[in-house]
Amino acid sequence: VDSKLKDLDGNAIVMNLVNGEVVGTVTNGGTTNTYFTISNNNANVTFTQSGNIQHGDTGNHDDTETLTAVANTIGLKETITDKDGDTASVTLDLSTNVFKIEDDGPSANATTGTVATITVDESPLSTDTPSGDGDRSATADYSSNFSTSSYGTDGAGSITYALAFTGTDVDSGLKDLDGNAIVMNLVNGEVVGTTTNGTYFTISNSSTKVTFTQSENIKHSNTSSHDDTETLTAVADTIG
C-alpha cells in the first residue's frame, strides 16, 4: 500500500503487515530498505523511522511530510470479550494525518577565525624592465573558515561556493589616479571595480579560493611612501 511518502531518491515507500507491525519499505535493484515501522503495545502505538525520507519544501529545514493512505488501511482495533466469551470490536482509523515526519536540513556556518587578507603590489613585475617584485593577482583559500558546516541527517548532497554581493555601484573606498571613486558591481559572478576610466580590479572565486586581480593602478594617499597600502573598505556584508 502506497504511504505517499518517498525515499531520498524519490521512490514510493509502500506498506505491508509483517509479524503484526506495519512496515514501510522500498525495493530497488533487488535490495529492500526499511524506512519506518508502526507497532503497538495495547493502546500505545509507536511510529519508528529507520531511514530518512524526501521532503518537498527545500526552503524549509523543518517541514513535515504526512503518511497518507486510503481510509481504513491502518487502524488500531479494539476487541472486548465478556466473561462468557462474547466479543465486540471497533477499529480506530489511523490511515491519514496521524503519522508525520519532520525534516532535517544542512547547516552552513562561517567560523569566526581569522579571515586571510589578499594583497597585490603595483611595483614592476619580474618580467618588466626594469624588473621588480610586483604582483597584480593574489589568491587566498578560505576553506578552513567553513569547517563547521554539516549536511545534516539526510546525508551528503553537494557543496558549492559563489561570491555573494549586495548592492549596485557600491563604493570600494578606493580611487583611481584621477581621484574618482571606484565602485563595485557583480558581473557574471565576479565583483568588478570600475570608474568611468575603466576597470581597476576584479574579485573572482574557484570553490573556496578567492582571487583579487588588479588591472589598473589606483591612487595611494601617502605621497611620502612608495610602498603604502590602500584597503578595499565596503559596508559590512557587501562582499562575501
Side-chain angles (χ1 to χ4, degrees), residues 171-183 194-197 200 217-221:
D171 190 353
S172 67
L174 303 175
K175 296 181 179 182
D176 68 14
L177 293 175
D178 293 327
N180 301 304
I182 301 174
V183 297
T194 63
T195 72
T196 55
N197 290 326
Y200 284 81
N217 285 20
I218 68 165
K219 185 173 183 176
H220 287 72
S221 57

Side-chain angles (χ1 to χ4, degrees), residues 127-193:
T127 56
D128 290 339
T129 303
S131 64
D133 60 355
D135 192 354
R136 300 295 188 271
S137 185
T139 299
D141 188 348
Y142 296 99
S143 56
S144 62
N145 294 98
F146 294 94
S147 59
T148 61
S149 299
S150 169
Y151 287 109
T153 64
D154 283 341
S158 63
I159 298 179
T160 61
Y161 297 90
L163 289 176
F165 184 81
T166 302
T168 302
D169 290 337
V170 176
D171 190 353
S172 67
L174 303 175
K175 296 181 179 182
D176 68 14
L177 293 175
D178 293 327
N180 301 304
I182 301 174
V183 297
M184 301 179 293
N185 289 281
L186 191 67
V187 180
N188 297 324
E190 297 185 348
V191 176
V192 181

Side-chain angles (χ1 to χ4, degrees), residues 17-240:
L17 191 66
V18 180
N19 298 323
E21 297 182 348
V22 176
V23 182
T25 63
V26 171
T27 300
N28 194 7
T31 300
T32 299
N33 294 309
T34 298
Y35 286 84
F36 62 81
T37 59
I38 302 171
S39 59
N40 81 291
N41 181 7
N42 289 318
N44 295 315
V45 175
T46 300
F47 183 40
T48 303
Q49 184 181 8
S50 50
N52 283 31
I53 69 162
Q54 185 177 97
H55 286 73
D57 187 353
T58 57
N60 183 353
H61 293 177
D62 203 34
D63 62 312
T64 300
E65 293 290 334
T66 302
L67 189 157
T68 305
V70 175
N72 299 313
T73 298
I74 306 169
L76 182 64
K77 184 177 181 180
E78 178 189 66
T79 301
I80 299 176
T81 305
D82 68 13
K83 198 164 186 178
D84 71 353
D86 297 322
T87 63
S89 62
V90 65
T91 299
L92 177 67
D93 188 12
L94 305 177
S95 306
T96 301
N97 208 34
V98 173
F99 302 103
K100 299 175 179 288
I101 299 176
E102 290 186 354
D103 197 10
D104 179 52
S107 61
N109 301 297
T111 66
T112 56
T114 302
V115 177
T117 59
I118 306 176
T119 303
V120 294
D121 190 335
E122 292 179 344
S123 300
L125 301 175
S126 60
T127 56
D128 290 339
T129 303
S131 64
D133 60 355
D135 192 354
R136 300 295 188 271
S137 185
T139 299
D141 188 348
Y142 296 99
S143 56
S144 62
N145 294 98
F146 294 94
S147 59
T148 61
S149 299
S150 169
Y151 287 109
T153 64
D154 283 341
S158 63
I159 298 179
T160 61
Y161 297 90
L163 289 176
F165 184 81
T166 302
T168 302
D169 290 337
V170 176
D171 190 353
S172 67
L174 303 175
K175 296 181 179 182
D176 68 14
L177 293 175
D178 293 327
N180 301 304
I182 301 174
V183 297
M184 301 179 293
N185 289 281
L186 191 67
V187 180
N188 297 324
E190 297 185 348
V191 176
V192 181
T194 63
T195 72
T196 55
N197 290 326
T199 298
Y200 284 81
F201 62 80
T202 59
I203 303 170
S204 59
N205 83 293
S206 176
S207 189
T208 57
K209 294 180 179 180
V210 175
T211 299
F212 183 38
T213 302
Q214 184 180 9
S215 49
E216 295 290 345
N217 285 20
I218 68 165
K219 185 173 183 176
H220 287 72
S221 57
N222 187 355
T223 57
S224 63
S225 173
H226 294 175
D227 203 33
D228 61 314
T229 300
E230 293 291 333
T231 302
L232 190 157
T233 306
V235 175
D237 298 321
T238 298
I239 307 171

